[in-house]
Amino acid sequence: MATLNSPLPDLTASGSRPRLALPNIGFAVLLALSGGAFLVWGAGYIGSGSLLVFVLATLFGLFMAFNIGGNDVANSFGTSVGAGTLTIGQALGVAAIFEVSGAVIAGGDVTDTIRSGIVDLGALTVSPLQFIRVMMAALVAAAFWLLFASRRGWPVSTTHSIIGGIVGASVVLGVNLGGTSSALALVQWGEIARIALSWVLSPLLGGLVSYGLFRLIKHHVLFYNERAEARVRDIRAEQKALRREHRSAFESLTELQQVNYNTMLVRDMDVLRSEDFHPEELETDYYRKWYAIERQRDEVETHHALQLWVPLVAALGAAVISAMLLFKGLKHMELGLATLTNYLIMAMVAAIAWATTFLFVRTLRQAPLERATFLLFSWMQVFTACGFAFSHGANDIANAVGPFAAILDVLRTGVITSSAAVPPMVMISFGIALVVGLWFIGKEVIATVGHGLTAMHPASGFCAELGAACVVMLASSLGIPVSSTHILIGAVLGIGIVNRQTNWGLMKPIALAWVVTLPAAGIIAAAAFLVSGYLF
C-alpha cells in the first residue's frame, strides 16, 4: 500500500511489463478482429467508393486511435496508477468500459470535417480525392508524432497534433492549387495564436487550481492526521513506559505483597469493565495512571479531519464531475435538460456523494488512520478517473474519428460537407483501438505523469484530477482555449510545488514537445500528402 512518503514503483521497469506474451497476443488479436469486422462492415457502408482508399484510411484511423490511447488516455490515468489507486490492468478495465461507453453513448452522430475551423479549404476548389488526401495525411502525421512522443513518455495534445496535420497538408494543397500566398491565407492564424496561448494558459490554470486544492487538503486533513498519529504514538510510548515501571516496582515487592497487589489488580479490572465505572473506585496506581493515559487517547479525535473535510471534498468532486458529464460528456446526446435541471442534478449528486462518504468514514473509525485516508481518497480518485474516461471517450476520440469520418462520408456520398455522420461501428472499433494502444504503449506516459514529475498519493492524485476537471469546465464555459492534456500536467506540477519535489528537468522536454507538436505534425503531414499523390 502506498503512503505519503513511500517511493512509487518505476512503471517502466521490466518487472512491471507483462511476463507472458499471452496478454499482448490477446490484445493484438482483439484489435485485428475489430479492424477486420470494421473493414467488412465499411465495404458495404461506402458502396461504390474506392475500396483501396477506404482500407488505407481505416488503417491510418485505427493507428491514430491506438496512439491516442497510448498518449492521451495514458495521461488521464497516470495519476491514478502513480498514486497506487489503480493498477495498469485496472486502469485498462476502466478505460475499456468508460472510454468506449463514452464514445458510443455520447460521442455524437456527426462531427466537423475540418477541425476547429483551423483552415479554410472553402477558399479553394478542392476535389473529393484531394480532401481525402488531406485528412489521411493529417491522420498519419498525428499518429506518428503521438507514437514518437509516447515512446519517450511525453504527454502531448492530440488535438494540437491533428490540427497541425490538417494545417500542414492543407498548406501543401494550397501551394499546388493557388501558390504560396494563397496557401498561407488558408490558415486561420488567430486560431494558431489561441493554441499558442494555451501552451501557457492550460498548465498555469491547472497548476493554480490543484495547488489550492491540495494545499487545503494537506493543511486540514493530512497535517491534522500526522499530528494525531504523532500524539497517538506518544501515548503508546507512555503506556509502554508505565508497564516497564510497573514491572520493576512489582518485582521489588515481597511474595505476600505481590499476591495482595495481584488481587487489587483483578478488582480494578472488574471495575473498569463495569458500565457505571468511576475512576475513584480504582485501588492501584497502575490502573489509575493507565486510565489517565487512555483518557488522553480518547481526547485525540484521529478521524475528525476525515469526517469533517473529506465528505465536503467528495461533494465538490461529484458536482464537478457531474457538470463535466452534463455539459461536456453528454452534450452530443441532446437530452433537452434545462440549465436549472442540470444544476439540480449536480446538487443531488453532490448531496449523495457527501452522505455516502460521511457514512464510509464512520465505518473506518476503527481502521488505522493512514489506511482510512488511503482508502477514502482512492475511491474518490476512482470516481474522478471514471468521469474523465467517459468524458474523454465522448469528446476527444473525435481527434481520430473526425478526419476519418470525413473520409468515410466522402467515399459514401462523393461530395465534401461541413459535417459527417459517425456510425456507432466507427466509435466501437476506434474505442477498442484506444484501449489496445493504452496497453501496448501507454506505460511510459503513465510513468511520467504518475511519478516522473512528482510523487503521487491518492489525496494528491485526486486533487490533480479534480483541479484539471474544474479548469476544463471553467474554460469550456468561458470559451478559453485550453488543452486537457496540458491542464492535467499543470495540475501535477501544482502538486509537486506544494510538496516541493517537482522534477523540472523532465518538464523541459515535455514543454518543448508541446511547442513542437503543431509544426512537427504539420511537416509530417506535408510529406505524407506529397507521397499520397503518387499512390492515388
Side-chain angles (χ1 to χ4, degrees):
M1 181 179 70
T3 65
L4 281 173
N5 299 312
S6 62
L8 289 160
D10 182 0
L11 299 179
T12 61
S14 58
S16 66
R17 295 185 182 278
R19 296 180 179 179
L20 301 174
L22 185 60
N24 292 346
I25 295 173
F27 279 106
V29 170
L30 176 64
L31 182 60
L33 291 176
S34 172
F38 182 80
L39 287 173
V40 172
W41 170 87
Y45 180 77
I46 64 172
S48 59
S50 173
L51 186 60
L52 174 61
V53 174
F54 169 69
V55 171
L56 289 176
T58 299
L59 293 177
F60 296 152
L62 291 175
F63 185 47
M64 174 64 177
F66 177 91
N67 285 287
I68 291 177
N71 197 286
D72 215 12
V73 178
N75 174 59
S76 300
F77 284 97
T79 51
S80 299
V81 175
T85 299
L86 298 173
T87 65
I88 292 181
Q90 291 168 339
L92 189 76
V94 172
I97 295 172
F98 288 91
E99 291 275 354
V100 177
S101 297
V104 174
I105 296 173
D109 297 324
V110 296
T111 185
D112 295 336
T113 57
I114 304 296
R115 288 288 301 166
S116 305
I118 199 72
V119 291
D120 182 19
L121 290 179
L124 299 174
T125 303
V126 179
S127 69
L129 182 58
Q130 289 170 330
F131 178 79
I132 289 175
R133 287 171 57 199
V134 168
M135 293 299 156
M136 288 180 66
L139 287 173
V140 171
F144 275 107
W145 172 249
L146 288 175
L147 177 62
F148 175 81
S150 298
R151 299 308 298 173
R152 282 155 180 77
W154 300 339
V156 297
S157 171
T158 54
T159 301
H160 294 178
S161 300
I162 199 68
I163 287 176
I166 292 176
V167 170
S170 298
V171 167
V172 174
L173 174 62
V175 170
N176 291 339
L177 296 180
T180 304
S181 58
S182 299
L184 294 178
L186 295 176
V187 181
Q188 306 299 309
W189 295 107
E191 292 296 326
I192 299 294
R194 286 165 61 87
I195 291 174
L197 178 63
S198 75
W199 295 335
V200 177
L201 198 59
S202 296
L204 180 62
L205 291 175
L208 286 174
V209 175
S210 71
Y211 178 90
L213 280 172
F214 189 54
R215 284 272 296 186
L216 177 72
I217 289 177
K218 192 166 187 177
H219 176 73
H220 290 287
V221 178
L222 303 183
F223 281 169
Y224 179 92
N225 290 357
E226 290 177 2
R227 292 191 296 270
E229 288 185 318
R231 182 61 185 136
V232 169
R233 286 194 298 268
D234 291 341
I235 291 173
R236 288 172 181 166
E238 288 184 46
Q239 289 176 328
K240 289 181 180 179
L242 177 62
R243 284 195 295 268
R244 288 194 300 268
E245 178 186 339
H246 171 259
R247 185 181 299 110
S248 176
F250 184 81
E251 291 173 352
S252 66
L253 298 176
T254 65
E255 186 173 342
L256 181 60
Q257 288 175 324
Q258 288 180 353
V259 172
N260 291 333
Y261 195 71
N262 276 333
T263 303
M264 295 168 63
L265 289 174
V266 171
R267 286 199 297 265
D268 280 352
M269 290 178 63
D270 290 337
V271 169
L272 285 171
R273 293 193 186 103
S274 63
E275 295 181 0
D276 56 349
F277 157 76
H278 195 277
E280 294 179 357
E281 300 176 26
L282 296 173
E283 300 179 48
T284 62
D285 289 339
Y286 174 73
Y287 272 114
R288 290 193 193 100
K289 293 179 180 179
W290 182 272
Y291 175 74
I293 294 174
E294 282 297 307
R295 287 294 303 272
Q296 294 179 46
R297 184 198 291 268
D298 293 339
E299 291 172 359
V300 179
E301 298 180 276
T302 54
H303 289 64
H304 171 73
L306 294 183
Q307 193 162 318
L308 176 63
W309 287 99
V310 174
L312 293 175
V313 174
L316 173 63
V320 172
I321 296 301
S322 59
M324 176 181 283
L325 295 179
L326 288 170
F327 293 107
K328 188 174 173 66
L330 300 175
K331 66 180 181 180
H332 300 302
M333 297 187 68
E334 298 180 0
L335 299 176
L337 299 176
T339 302
L340 178 60
T341 303
N342 286 331
Y343 284 125
L344 289 175
I345 292 173
M346 290 166 53
M348 181 179 66
V349 172
I352 293 173
W354 183 92
T356 303
T357 308
F358 182 81
L359 293 175
F360 190 23
V361 173
R362 292 183 66 86
T363 65
L364 296 173
R365 289 176 66 90
Q366 301 304 318
L369 189 55
E370 183 179 346
R371 175 168 175 76
T373 304
F374 184 91
L375 287 174
L376 284 167
F377 281 104
S378 293
W379 279 109
M380 289 159 60
Q381 194 177 15
V382 168
F383 177 79
T384 55
C386 292
F388 253 113
F390 187 90
S391 181
H392 182 271
N395 292 278
D396 292 351
I397 199 174
N399 292 323
V401 169
F404 178 77
I407 295 172
L408 202 64
D409 192 64
V410 171
L411 290 176
R412 187 173 66 89
T413 64
V415 296
I416 303 171
T417 57
S418 59
S419 60
V422 185
M425 188 65 177
V426 175
M427 288 296 192
I428 295 173
S429 300
F430 280 56
I432 291 173
L434 206 77
V435 175
V436 175
L438 172 63
W439 171 258
F440 276 107
I441 63 171
K443 296 180 181 65
E444 284 77 9
V445 173
I446 287 177
T448 296
V449 179
H451 66 85
L453 292 171
T454 189
M456 279 289 166
H457 177 272
S460 57
F462 170 77
C463 290
E465 292 177 4
L466 180 57
C470 289
V471 174
V472 168
M473 285 307 305
L474 178 64
S476 297
S477 62
L478 298 178
I480 301 174
V482 292
S483 164
S484 58
T485 298
H486 299 177
I487 289 171
L488 186 56
I489 296 301
V492 171
L493 293 177
I495 300 299
I497 292 173
V498 174
N499 290 332
R500 299 180 181 179
Q501 53 178 204
T502 305
N503 186 355
W504 294 109
L506 178 59
M507 188 59 210
K508 290 179 182 178
I510 295 175
L512 179 62
W514 291 353
V515 177
V516 170
T517 290
L518 204 70
I523 292 171
I524 299 172
F529 181 83
L530 293 174
V531 171
S532 68
Y534 295 99
L535 298 178
F536 45 84

